Amino acid sequence: MVAELAALVIFVVAIGAEMLHSWRIRRIAPLVFGPTARPAHWARAVPVLRVLALTGLCWGLVTLMLLPPKIHAAETIPEDEMKHLLIVLDVSPSMRLEDAGEKKDKSRMKRAAVIMESFFERANMNRYRTSVIAVYNEAKMVVEDTKDLEVIHNIFNDLPMHHAFVSGETDLFSGLKEAAELAKPWNPRSTTLLLISDGDTVPGVGMPKMPVSVANAVVIGVGDSLKGSFINGHHSRQDVSMLRQLAIRLNGTYHNGNEKHLSTDLIDQLAVGGEENPFEKLTRREYALAICGLSALIYALIPWLLHYWGTGWKPGVFTSRKERAQARRESERARTTKQLHPSAP
């Protein structure tokens, strides 16, 4: 309330000062603005702009003075604002086939590691707790809610996790079921789900339903989608159609990561997904800072604008016939106005 009262006082004082200033200018208007004794059309709004700028500047500065100081702690995020990154990683033997990358000379698991490395470099991982679920013919929890990225790097860099499973058919849905159970108690729309697989032998039924905590889902395919490689009695390749259908059923996005990283736009979408509107986070401090900056800018620009564009009158010796004729017309118009309205300034 103190800031509003101070702004009101400045508003009244500024109006009085502008009225006095206008009266003083009116006495010498012909010397300043030429025979018409009038400024440029836009300059007539200058008194209003000055009053509003001074009032806004006063309110903003008093508000900032009265607010308690804000301490910015680097890299400190409250626990209730932390997000979750849930990775379901296919570790079946087909992920060891070397047909991924631009030159088709990397294993699918290695390509997944490169994609995630790029993701970690561009996403703000200080806001995330990361969990990894390995899936083959069943699902196994590898790490839960860690902030240590070195642990995640070690998982993706040739850790032979398929030896922890009994040989069999790949069951991606078991990994999704495990992910759904893990994410169920988390806050609504606080989780980003990444499923990395080549799509080999994905079942057509048994799709689990994700809890409300999952805000975004991305299915990342690795492996050559055109030419298959022989393994376990069949040709294995990235099943694009199956993975795309899986992404649709998850209400997510499919990305072919065999040659391209996740786009920056997609990472930005994942980063803001499920968060509140940034304008809703603005407090009285942010509004005061914005009004102070805008008011100071307007008040500083007014003298410069008036100097160059405040009037079209250019006193001095006329060098051309056109300028002399224009000055004569303006003088005659001003004389006629004075005769018709003797009381006019």
Side-chain angles (χ1 to χ4, degrees):
M1 193 63 181
V2 176
E4 285 75 10
L5 290 176
L8 180 61
V9 171
I10 293 298
F11 180 76
V12 175
V13 173
I15 289 179
E18 287 296 335
M19 294 176 62
L20 178 61
H21 184 60
S22 176
W23 176 78
R24 297 178 63 182
I25 288 180
R26 191 179 298 115
R27 298 171 56 189
I28 58 172
L31 295 177
V32 179
F33 306 118
T36 61
R38 293 178 180 275
H41 292 290
W42 74 269
R44 299 173 188 177
V46 166
V48 177
L49 291 176
R50 263 198 297 252
V51 171
L52 294 179
L54 287 172
T55 304
L57 192 59
C58 173
W59 179 85
L61 291 176
V62 175
T63 298
L64 292 175
M65 180 182 69
L66 297 177
L67 288 176
K70 185 176 181 179
I71 301 175
H72 294 273
E75 307 297 341
T76 300
I77 300 175
E79 287 295 326
D80 57 347
E81 295 184 9
M82 292 293 294
K83 303 294 182 181
H84 296 274
L85 178 63
L86 183 53
I87 303 174
V88 178
L89 178 62
D90 184 355
V91 297
S92 61
S94 62
M95 291 290 287
R96 300 286 167 175
L97 296 176
E98 296 184 354
D99 60 353
E102 296 180 359
K103 298 181 179 180
K104 307 295 189 298
D105 58 348
K106 295 181 179 179
S107 68
R108 299 174 184 178
M109 184 63 73
K110 185 65 177 179
R111 180 60 187 174
V114 173
I115 293 173
M116 292 309 302
E117 184 70 27
S118 174
F119 176 86
F120 293 148
E121 290 176 355
R122 290 181 287 164
N124 182 13
M125 295 307 297
N126 293 320
R127 299 204 60 179
Y128 287 94
R129 293 188 180 275
T130 305
S131 302
V132 179
I133 297 175
V135 58
Y136 180 14
N137 52 9
E138 61 177 337
K140 294 183 181 293
M141 177 67 65
V142 181
V143 62
E144 180 178 354
D145 271 357
T146 182
K147 296 184 67 176
D148 189 354
L149 290 182
E150 292 302 320
V151 175
I152 309 301
H153 292 159
N154 182 54
I155 293 174
F156 279 90
N157 289 324
D158 294 330
L159 186 65
M161 289 183 289
H162 61 282
H163 292 306
F165 298 87
V166 178
S167 298
E169 296 292 332
T170 304
D171 184 10
L172 287 181
F173 287 172
S174 64
L176 293 176
K177 290 178 182 178
E178 182 74 17
E181 290 296 325
L182 178 64
K184 185 179 295 184
W186 294 342
N187 293 331
R189 302 189 63 79
S190 64
T191 305
T192 296
L193 173 65
L194 299 182
L195 172 62
I196 306 175
S197 175
D198 53 12
D200 191 22
T201 64
V202 175
V205 294
M207 178 72 183
K209 183 179 180 180
M210 291 294 107
V212 295
S213 59
V214 178
N216 303 284
V218 180
V219 177
I220 303 174
V222 290
D224 194 340
S225 59
L226 300 177
K227 182 181 178 181
S229 299
F230 191 79
I231 184 174
N232 292 337
H234 71 283
H235 279 80
S236 172
R237 61 181 178 87
Q238 182 191 162
D239 195 336
V240 175
S241 61
M242 181 66 72
L243 291 177
R244 185 174 282 113
Q245 291 178 14
L246 185 60
I248 293 174
R249 294 164 71 181
L250 287 171
N251 293 323
T253 304
Y254 164 75
H255 173 75
N256 190 341
N258 201 54
E259 297 180 359
K260 295 182 179 180
H261 295 296
L262 294 174
S263 66
T264 302
D265 292 339
L266 179 57
I267 293 178
D268 291 340
Q269 178 183 346
L270 297 178
V272 301
E275 296 184 2
E276 60 182 354
N277 190 332
F279 290 103
E280 296 178 357
K281 296 183 179 181
L282 297 180
T283 63
R284 187 179 177 91
R285 179 187 304 276
E286 283 73 32
Y287 285 118
L289 288 171
I291 291 177
C292 280
L294 181 61
S295 300
L297 179 63
I298 293 174
Y299 198 76
L301 286 178
I302 285 177
W304 182 75
L305 294 174
L306 287 175
H307 177 73
Y308 287 100
W309 296 286
T311 178
W313 169 249
K314 297 181 181 179
V317 179
F318 300 108
T319 58
S320 67
R321 182 179 303 176
K322 182 178 179 180
E323 291 178 344
R324 289 195 296 270
Q326 182 179 358
R328 191 181 303 111
R329 287 193 300 270
E330 291 181 355
S331 180
E332 292 175 356
R333 189 183 303 111
R335 190 181 303 110
T336 303
T337 304
K338 189 69 175 179
Q339 292 174 355
L340 295 176
H341 305 282
S343 60

PDB file of all heavy atoms in Angstrom, residues 27 31 33 72 81 110 114 120 126 134 155 160 169 191 215 218 243 274 283-284 299-300 308 324 338:
ATOM      1  N   ARG A  27       3.913  30.683 -23.673  1.00  0.00           N
ATOM      2  CA  ARG A  27       4.316  32.079 -23.811  1.00  0.00           C
ATOM      3  C   ARG A  27       5.365  32.272 -24.905  1.00  0.00           C
ATOM      4  O   ARG A  27       5.440  33.334 -25.528  1.00  0.00           O
ATOM      5  CB  ARG A  27       4.856  32.593 -22.478  1.00  0.00           C
ATOM      6  CG  ARG A  27       3.830  32.563 -21.353  1.00  0.00           C
ATOM      7  CD  ARG A  27       4.456  32.878 -20.020  1.00  0.00           C
ATOM      8  NE  ARG A  27       5.161  34.158 -20.019  1.00  0.00           N
ATOM      9  CZ  ARG A  27       5.938  34.589 -19.036  1.00  0.00           C
ATOM     10  NH1 ARG A  27       6.108  33.814 -17.965  1.00  0.00           N
ATOM     11  NH2 ARG A  27       6.528  35.752 -19.104  1.00  0.00           N
ATOM     12  N   LEU A  31       8.498  31.033 -30.816  1.00  0.00           N
ATOM     13  CA  LEU A  31       9.951  30.921 -30.936  1.00  0.00           C
ATOM     14  C   LEU A  31      10.397  29.460 -31.014  1.00  0.00           C
ATOM     15  O   LEU A  31      11.395  29.139 -31.652  1.00  0.00           O
ATOM     16  CB  LEU A  31      10.616  31.593 -29.728  1.00  0.00           C
ATOM     17  CG  LEU A  31      10.428  33.108 -29.588  1.00  0.00           C
ATOM     18  CD1 LEU A  31      11.084  33.599 -28.312  1.00  0.00           C
ATOM     19  CD2 LEU A  31      11.018  33.821 -30.796  1.00  0.00           C
ATOM     20  N   PHE A  33       8.232  26.641 -31.828  1.00  0.00           N
ATOM     21  CA  PHE A  33       7.563  25.828 -32.840  1.00  0.00           C
ATOM     22  C   PHE A  33       7.307  26.543 -34.159  1.00  0.00           C
ATOM     23  O   PHE A  33       6.681  25.994 -35.060  1.00  0.00           O
ATOM     24  CB  PHE A  33       6.227  25.311 -32.294  1.00  0.00           C
ATOM     25  CG  PHE A  33       6.343  24.574 -30.990  1.00  0.00           C
ATOM     26  CD1 PHE A  33       5.711  25.052 -29.853  1.00  0.00           C
ATOM     27  CD2 PHE A  33       7.105  23.421 -30.895  1.00  0.00           C
ATOM     28  CE1 PHE A  33       5.829  24.377 -28.651  1.00  0.00           C
ATOM     29  CE2 PHE A  33       7.222  22.744 -29.703  1.00  0.00           C
ATOM     30  CZ  PHE A  33       6.590  23.225 -28.562  1.00  0.00           C
ATOM     31  N   HIS A  72      19.507 -15.830  -4.567  1.00  0.00           N
ATOM     32  CA  HIS A  72      19.546 -16.812  -5.646  1.00  0.00           C
ATOM     33  C   HIS A  72      20.627 -17.852  -5.324  1.00  0.00           C
ATOM     34  O   HIS A  72      21.822 -17.539  -5.312  1.00  0.00           O
ATOM     35  CB  HIS A  72      19.862 -16.137  -6.983  1.00  0.00           C
ATOM     36  CG  HIS A  72      18.783 -15.208  -7.437  1.00  0.00           C
ATOM     37  ND1 HIS A  72      17.702 -15.622  -8.178  1.00  0.00           N
ATOM     38  CD2 HIS A  72      18.612 -13.879  -7.225  1.00  0.00           C
ATOM     39  CE1 HIS A  72      16.912 -14.599  -8.432  1.00  0.00           C
ATOM     40  NE2 HIS A  72      17.440 -13.525  -7.863  1.00  0.00           N
ATOM     41  N   GLU A  81       9.745 -29.581  -6.776  1.00  0.00           N
ATOM     42  CA  GLU A  81       9.784 -29.109  -8.161  1.00  0.00           C
ATOM     43  C   GLU A  81      10.653 -30.002  -9.053  1.00  0.00           C
ATOM     44  O   GLU A  81      10.801 -29.716 -10.239  1.00  0.00           O
ATOM     45  CB  GLU A  81      10.300 -27.673  -8.220  1.00  0.00           C
ATOM     46  CG  GLU A  81       9.380 -26.666  -7.547  1.00  0.00           C
ATOM     47  CD  GLU A  81       9.871 -25.245  -7.710  1.00  0.00           C
ATOM     48  OE1 GLU A  81      10.835 -25.041  -8.492  1.00  0.00           O
ATOM     49  OE2 GLU A  81       9.310 -24.339  -7.070  1.00  0.00           O
ATOM     50  N   LYS A 110      25.195 -48.782 -28.813  1.00  0.00           N
ATOM     51  CA  LYS A 110      26.130 -47.661 -28.864  1.00  0.00           C
ATOM     52  C   LYS A 110      25.432 -46.424 -29.428  1.00  0.00           C
ATOM     53  O   LYS A 110      25.674 -45.301 -28.960  1.00  0.00           O
ATOM     54  CB  LYS A 110      27.341 -48.024 -29.725  1.00  0.00           C
ATOM     55  CG  LYS A 110      28.434 -46.972 -29.740  1.00  0.00           C
ATOM     56  CD  LYS A 110      29.060 -46.791 -28.372  1.00  0.00           C
ATOM     57  CE  LYS A 110      30.206 -45.800 -28.416  1.00  0.00           C
ATOM     58  NZ  LYS A 110      30.816 -45.585 -27.089  1.00  0.00           N
ATOM     59  N   VAL A 114      24.883 -42.659 -27.724  1.00  0.00           N
ATOM     60  CA  VAL A 114      25.191 -41.368 -28.354  1.00  0.00           C
ATOM     61  C   VAL A 114      23.980 -40.438 -28.303  1.00  0.00           C
ATOM     62  O   VAL A 114      24.111 -39.236 -28.035  1.00  0.00           O
ATOM     63  CB  VAL A 114      25.661 -41.588 -29.813  1.00  0.00           C
ATOM     64  CG1 VAL A 114      25.816 -40.259 -30.534  1.00  0.00           C
ATOM     65  CG2 VAL A 114      26.975 -42.361 -29.839  1.00  0.00           C
ATOM     66  N   PHE A 120      21.471 -35.429 -22.746  1.00  0.00           N
ATOM     67  CA  PHE A 120      21.944 -34.943 -21.447  1.00  0.00           C
ATOM     68  C   PHE A 120      22.669 -33.606 -21.575  1.00  0.00           C
ATOM     69  O   PHE A 120      22.625 -32.775 -20.672  1.00  0.00           O
ATOM     70  CB  PHE A 120      22.879 -35.972 -20.807  1.00  0.00           C
ATOM     71  CG  PHE A 120      22.183 -37.253 -20.414  1.00  0.00           C
ATOM     72  CD1 PHE A 120      22.866 -38.468 -20.460  1.00  0.00           C
ATOM     73  CD2 PHE A 120      20.864 -37.255 -20.018  1.00  0.00           C
ATOM     74  CE1 PHE A 120      22.225 -39.641 -20.102  1.00  0.00           C
ATOM     75  CE2 PHE A 120      20.214 -38.427 -19.666  1.00  0.00           C
ATOM     76  CZ  PHE A 120      20.902 -39.622 -19.703  1.00  0.00           C
ATOM     77  N   ASN A 126      19.770 -30.885 -14.101  1.00  0.00           N
ATOM     78  CA  ASN A 126      19.711 -30.566 -12.677  1.00  0.00           C
ATOM     79  C   ASN A 126      18.281 -30.635 -12.149  1.00  0.00           C
ATOM     80  O   ASN A 126      18.072 -30.698 -10.944  1.00  0.00           O
ATOM     81  CB  ASN A 126      20.277 -29.158 -12.443  1.00  0.00           C
ATOM     82  CG  ASN A 126      21.760 -29.088 -12.723  1.00  0.00           C
ATOM     83  OD1 ASN A 126      22.505 -29.989 -12.384  1.00  0.00           O
ATOM     84  ND2 ASN A 126      22.201 -28.011 -13.360  1.00  0.00           N
ATOM     85  N   ALA A 134      15.784 -51.855 -17.455  1.00  0.00           N
ATOM     86  CA  ALA A 134      16.255 -52.700 -18.551  1.00  0.00           C
ATOM     87  C   ALA A 134      15.188 -53.748 -18.858  1.00  0.00           C
ATOM     88  O   ALA A 134      14.568 -54.321 -17.946  1.00  0.00           O
ATOM     89  CB  ALA A 134      17.568 -53.385 -18.171  1.00  0.00           C
ATOM     90  N   ILE A 155      25.715 -47.342 -17.710  1.00  0.00           N
ATOM     91  CA  ILE A 155      24.681 -48.287 -18.155  1.00  0.00           C
ATOM     92  C   ILE A 155      24.658 -48.380 -19.676  1.00  0.00           C
ATOM     93  O   ILE A 155      24.525 -49.469 -20.246  1.00  0.00           O
ATOM     94  CB  ILE A 155      23.310 -47.862 -17.604  1.00  0.00           C
ATOM     95  CG1 ILE A 155      23.300 -48.010 -16.073  1.00  0.00           C
ATOM     96  CG2 ILE A 155      22.190 -48.679 -18.236  1.00  0.00           C
ATOM     97  CD1 ILE A 155      22.036 -47.472 -15.430  1.00  0.00           C
ATOM     98  N   PRO A 160      27.003 -55.256 -20.283  1.00  0.00           N
ATOM     99  CA  PRO A 160      26.303 -56.439 -20.840  1.00  0.00           C
ATOM    100  C   PRO A 160      25.126 -56.864 -19.973  1.00  0.00           C
ATOM    101  O   PRO A 160      25.134 -57.926 -19.345  1.00  0.00           O
ATOM    102  CB  PRO A 160      27.409 -57.496 -20.858  1.00  0.00           C
ATOM    103  CG  PRO A 160      28.326 -57.110 -19.740  1.00  0.00           C
ATOM    104  CD  PRO A 160      28.298 -55.609 -19.669  1.00  0.00           C
ATOM    105  N   GLU A 169      12.107 -64.322 -25.936  1.00  0.00           N
ATOM    106  CA  GLU A 169      11.579 -63.273 -26.799  1.00  0.00           C
ATOM    107  C   GLU A 169      11.534 -61.942 -26.051  1.00  0.00           C
ATOM    108  O   GLU A 169      11.279 -61.898 -24.845  1.00  0.00           O
ATOM    109  CB  GLU A 169      10.172 -63.644 -27.288  1.00  0.00           C
ATOM    110  CG  GLU A 169      10.119 -64.882 -28.168  1.00  0.00           C
ATOM    111  CD  GLU A 169      10.790 -64.647 -29.515  1.00  0.00           C
ATOM    112  OE1 GLU A 169      10.801 -63.481 -29.965  1.00  0.00           O
ATOM    113  OE2 GLU A 169      11.293 -65.624 -30.099  1.00  0.00           O
ATOM    114  N   THR A 191       6.777 -36.515 -15.099  1.00  0.00           N
ATOM    115  CA  THR A 191       7.663 -37.553 -15.609  1.00  0.00           C
ATOM    116  C   THR A 191       7.730 -37.517 -17.126  1.00  0.00           C
ATOM    117  O   THR A 191       6.711 -37.351 -17.797  1.00  0.00           O
ATOM    118  CB  THR A 191       7.180 -38.944 -15.153  1.00  0.00           C
ATOM    119  OG1 THR A 191       7.051 -38.957 -13.730  1.00  0.00           O
ATOM    120  CG2 THR A 191       8.158 -40.032 -15.591  1.00  0.00           C
ATOM    121  N   ALA A 215       3.916 -37.165 -18.219  1.00  0.00           N
ATOM    122  CA  ALA A 215       3.463 -36.025 -19.029  1.00  0.00           C
ATOM    123  C   ALA A 215       3.839 -36.179 -20.488  1.00  0.00           C
ATOM    124  O   ALA A 215       3.100 -35.744 -21.373  1.00  0.00           O
ATOM    125  CB  ALA A 215       4.056 -34.721 -18.481  1.00  0.00           C
ATOM    126  N   VAL A 218       8.391 -40.499 -25.388  1.00  0.00           N
ATOM    127  CA  VAL A 218       9.104 -40.502 -26.661  1.00  0.00           C
ATOM    128  C   VAL A 218       9.635 -41.905 -26.899  1.00  0.00           C
ATOM    129  O   VAL A 218      10.320 -42.484 -26.038  1.00  0.00           O
ATOM    130  CB  VAL A 218      10.273 -39.493 -26.672  1.00  0.00           C
ATOM    131  CG1 VAL A 218      10.997 -39.533 -28.012  1.00  0.00           C
ATOM    132  CG2 VAL A 218       9.773 -38.090 -26.408  1.00  0.00           C
ATOM    133  N   LEU A 243       6.994 -49.340 -33.858  1.00  0.00           N
ATOM    134  CA  LEU A 243       7.393 -48.338 -32.871  1.00  0.00           C
ATOM    135  C   LEU A 243       6.524 -47.084 -32.973  1.00  0.00           C
ATOM    136  O   LEU A 243       6.196 -46.455 -31.964  1.00  0.00           O
ATOM    137  CB  LEU A 243       8.869 -47.978 -33.052  1.00  0.00           C
ATOM    138  CG  LEU A 243       9.871 -49.083 -32.694  1.00  0.00           C
ATOM    139  CD1 LEU A 243      11.289 -48.634 -32.996  1.00  0.00           C
ATOM    140  CD2 LEU A 243       9.740 -49.468 -31.218  1.00  0.00           C
ATOM    141  N   GLY A 274       4.157 -30.262 -19.040  1.00  0.00           N
ATOM    142  CA  GLY A 274       3.612 -30.490 -17.724  1.00  0.00           C
ATOM    143  C   GLY A 274       3.884 -29.380 -16.736  1.00  0.00           C
ATOM    144  O   GLY A 274       3.393 -29.403 -15.623  1.00  0.00           O
ATOM    145  N   THR A 283       6.023 -12.693  -9.926  1.00  0.00           N
ATOM    146  CA  THR A 283       5.617 -12.142  -8.641  1.00  0.00           C
ATOM    147  C   THR A 283       5.632 -10.619  -8.707  1.00  0.00           C
ATOM    148  O   THR A 283       5.929 -10.025  -9.744  1.00  0.00           O
ATOM    149  CB  THR A 283       6.558 -12.630  -7.534  1.00  0.00           C
ATOM    150  OG1 THR A 283       7.889 -12.146  -7.803  1.00  0.00           O
ATOM    151  CG2 THR A 283       6.605 -14.158  -7.489  1.00  0.00           C
ATOM    152  N   ARG A 284       5.322 -10.004  -7.590  1.00  0.00           N
ATOM    153  CA  ARG A 284       5.318  -8.533  -7.519  1.00  0.00           C
ATOM    154  C   ARG A 284       6.704  -7.977  -7.848  1.00  0.00           C
ATOM    155  O   ARG A 284       6.837  -6.894  -8.436  1.00  0.00           O
ATOM    156  CB  ARG A 284       4.884  -8.111  -6.114  1.00  0.00           C
ATOM    157  CG  ARG A 284       4.658  -6.617  -5.932  1.00  0.00           C
ATOM    158  CD  ARG A 284       4.216  -6.353  -4.504  1.00  0.00           C
ATOM    159  NE  ARG A 284       4.041  -4.931  -4.233  1.00  0.00           N
ATOM    160  CZ  ARG A 284       2.909  -4.263  -4.377  1.00  0.00           C
ATOM    161  NH1 ARG A 284       1.838  -4.901  -4.818  1.00  0.00           N
ATOM    162  NH2 ARG A 284       2.823  -2.975  -4.093  1.00  0.00           N
ATOM    163  N   TYR A 299      11.165   7.579 -20.170  1.00  0.00           N
ATOM    164  CA  TYR A 299      11.575   8.897 -19.668  1.00  0.00           C
ATOM    165  C   TYR A 299      12.905   9.334 -20.261  1.00  0.00           C
ATOM    166  O   TYR A 299      13.138  10.527 -20.491  1.00  0.00           O
ATOM    167  CB  TYR A 299      11.662   8.855 -18.145  1.00  0.00           C
ATOM    168  CG  TYR A 299      11.643  10.214 -17.506  1.00  0.00           C
ATOM    169  CD1 TYR A 299      10.447  10.922 -17.396  1.00  0.00           C
ATOM    170  CD2 TYR A 299      12.806  10.801 -17.028  1.00  0.00           C
ATOM    171  CE1 TYR A 299      10.410  12.174 -16.816  1.00  0.00           C
ATOM    172  CE2 TYR A 299      12.789  12.052 -16.450  1.00  0.00           C
ATOM    173  CZ  TYR A 299      11.588  12.747 -16.354  1.00  0.00           C
ATOM    174  OH  TYR A 299      11.563  13.998 -15.797  1.00  0.00           O
ATOM    175  N   ALA A 300      13.791   8.387 -20.534  1.00  0.00           N
ATOM    176  CA  ALA A 300      15.088   8.729 -21.114  1.00  0.00           C
ATOM    177  C   ALA A 300      14.991   9.046 -22.604  1.00  0.00           C
ATOM    178  O   ALA A 300      15.777   9.843 -23.134  1.00  0.00           O
ATOM    179  CB  ALA A 300      16.074   7.584 -20.886  1.00  0.00           C
ATOM    180  N   TYR A 308      14.750  15.768 -31.994  1.00  0.00           N
ATOM    181  CA  TYR A 308      14.833  15.510 -33.427  1.00  0.00           C
ATOM    182  C   TYR A 308      13.472  15.593 -34.136  1.00  0.00           C
ATOM    183  O   TYR A 308      13.411  15.957 -35.310  1.00  0.00           O
ATOM    184  CB  TYR A 308      15.446  14.129 -33.668  1.00  0.00           C
ATOM    185  CG  TYR A 308      16.933  14.090 -33.394  1.00  0.00           C
ATOM    186  CD1 TYR A 308      17.420  13.570 -32.197  1.00  0.00           C
ATOM    187  CD2 TYR A 308      17.851  14.588 -34.307  1.00  0.00           C
ATOM    188  CE1 TYR A 308      18.784  13.538 -31.926  1.00  0.00           C
ATOM    189  CE2 TYR A 308      19.210  14.563 -34.054  1.00  0.00           C
ATOM    190  CZ  TYR A 308      19.673  14.035 -32.868  1.00  0.00           C
ATOM    191  OH  TYR A 308      21.017  14.005 -32.610  1.00  0.00           O
ATOM    192  N   ARG A 324      11.096  29.179 -48.600  1.00  0.00           N
ATOM    193  CA  ARG A 324      10.577  30.534 -48.381  1.00  0.00           C
ATOM    194  C   ARG A 324       9.071  30.577 -48.572  1.00  0.00           C
ATOM    195  O   ARG A 324       8.342  31.228 -47.813  1.00  0.00           O
ATOM    196  CB  ARG A 324      11.278  31.520 -49.322  1.00  0.00           C
ATOM    197  CG  ARG A 324      12.741  31.799 -48.968  1.00  0.00           C
ATOM    198  CD  ARG A 324      13.252  33.025 -49.696  1.00  0.00           C
ATOM    199  NE  ARG A 324      13.255  32.833 -51.139  1.00  0.00           N
ATOM    200  CZ  ARG A 324      14.299  32.336 -51.820  1.00  0.00           C
ATOM    201  NH1 ARG A 324      15.387  31.971 -51.158  1.00  0.00           N
ATOM    202  NH2 ARG A 324      14.246  32.201 -53.128  1.00  0.00           N
ATOM    203  N   LYS A 338      -4.791  34.496 -35.771  1.00  0.00           N
ATOM    204  CA  LYS A 338      -4.723  35.517 -34.717  1.00  0.00           C
ATOM    205  C   LYS A 338      -5.810  36.556 -34.890  1.00  0.00           C
ATOM    206  O   LYS A 338      -6.408  37.040 -33.894  1.00  0.00           O
ATOM    207  CB  LYS A 338      -3.340  36.164 -34.752  1.00  0.00           C
ATOM    208  CG  LYS A 338      -3.068  37.091 -33.573  1.00  0.00           C
ATOM    209  CD  LYS A 338      -2.950  36.317 -32.288  1.00  0.00           C
ATOM    210  CE  LYS A 338      -2.558  37.216 -31.113  1.00  0.00           C
ATOM    211  NZ  LYS A 338      -2.467  36.455 -29.846  1.00  0.00           N
TER     212      LYS A 338
END
